[in-house]
Amino acid sequence: LMPVLAPASVREIVELGLFGWALSRWCGSWVGFKLAGSICEASATVPATFAGEFPEPSDFVFPADGVHLRWPDDPSAMEHRAKAVRLPAAQAFARAARIDRQYGATGAARLGLVAPGRAYGQLRQAFRELGIGDHDLARLGIRVCKPALVWPLEPERTLEFARGLDTVFVIEDKRPLVEDQLKVLLFDRLRRDAPAVIGKRDERASALLPESGEVDALHVAAEVARRLGLPQPR
């Protein structure tokens, strides 16, 4: 029951590390990282230019007794506080800081691509394989979401991203952490207007992306090309 962040690079370990400390102090919870092996085993020169200052939410009010442990405190009270206060506080803090990046088509769009952590780098490589630049996204009807807070997903901006799309393709390593949350959120909030969500499986429940290991840019590029009617990457 603690928030989880997903850095997409060595640089983001520093950036989201600073955000995670601020988030922990705000919501009173431990904050975890979801890190791919290829990032853990990498190195980089990172400029020390991060301010580490994040705006406090204006749309969240803490209960009078706060978020921290107190004596006496039984397990049921701790669980209730985590679910009813700490996690919503974490979502509000992420929303105010706008750490979940979104870009691409702002009006009519058909395909949404959601890629947290290391998978975002694979999506960017897939775009290069297909010759797609950021300036092409609006023309192709593509929106991109790079969630930094992967659990729990921040619902308001996620719903804003998904509205009007035909399909959301979730690209993530290992198990479908983001994909499963997105399906529940869209079913609860949008119902009949919700886009189809694919990732580990497609609309026909056929295997699409692997649930073990790391996703591959060429695999992602092939699926994006197929859905947009573009030539397959070589």
Side-chain angles (χ1 to χ4, degrees):
L1 294 179
M2 68 182 190
V4 177
L5 304 168
S9 64
V10 174
R11 177 189 177 99
E12 284 195 2
I13 292 176
V14 179
E15 293 176 333
L16 290 183
L18 293 173
F19 175 79
W21 270 319
L23 174 61
S24 178
R25 289 173 179 144
W26 167 262
C27 72
S29 174
W30 290 91
V31 176
F33 267 1
K34 181 184 179 184
L35 282 167
S38 56
I39 294 177
C40 294
E41 295 162 4
S43 62
T45 300
V46 178
T49 56
F50 311 116
E53 298 176 0
F54 305 96
E56 292 189 354
S58 59
D59 58 353
F60 186 86
V61 178
F62 283 107
D65 58 354
V67 297
H68 298 292
L69 298 177
R70 72 288 311 267
W71 179 266
D73 214 357
D74 60 62
S76 61
M78 296 178 195
E79 182 182 15
H80 173 76
R81 192 177 304 114
K83 292 179 177 178
V85 182
R86 289 182 173 182
L87 292 178
Q91 291 170 318
F93 195 77
R95 182 167 58 249
R98 301 183 75 84
I99 62 163
D100 294 338
R101 185 183 174 199
Q102 298 179 8
Y103 61 95
T106 56
R110 338 179 247 159
L111 179 63
L113 300 171
V114 179
R118 172 198 169 275
Y120 178 73
Q122 297 302 295
L123 174 60
R124 298 298 301 180
Q125 180 60 35
F127 282 160
R128 288 189 287 271
E129 297 288 344
L130 296 171
I132 297 175
D134 288 351
H135 59 282
D136 298 313
L137 297 177
R139 174 179 58 83
L140 294 170
I142 299 173
R143 289 183 202 153
V144 178
C145 176
K146 174 178 173 283
L149 181 67
V150 292
W151 197 91
L153 283 182
E154 194 288 300
E156 301 308 322
R157 295 199 70 219
T158 302
L159 287 169
E160 177 186 325
F161 167 82
R163 280 192 177 93
L165 295 173
D166 295 330
T167 305
V168 176
F169 182 18
V170 183
I171 304 155
E172 58 186 325
D173 296 320
K174 306 277 185 190
R175 69 184 184 89
L177 176 66
V178 171
E179 182 182 347
D180 286 354
Q181 293 179 83
L182 186 58
K183 288 176 178 176
V184 172
L185 177 62
L186 295 181
F187 180 82
D188 285 350
R189 298 285 192 93
L190 298 185
R191 298 290 177 114
R192 293 180 181 178
D193 295 328
V197 179
I198 62 171
K200 300 306 177 185
R201 296 187 177 274
D202 64 15
E203 296 93 336
R204 297 174 297 279
S206 299
L208 185 55
L209 294 179
E211 293 198 47
S212 59
E214 299 178 338
V215 297
D216 175 76
L218 282 177
H219 194 166
V220 173
E223 183 62 23
V224 171
R226 188 180 72 80
R227 291 184 175 271
L228 295 177
L230 300 175
Q232 286 290 314
R234 297 184 179 182

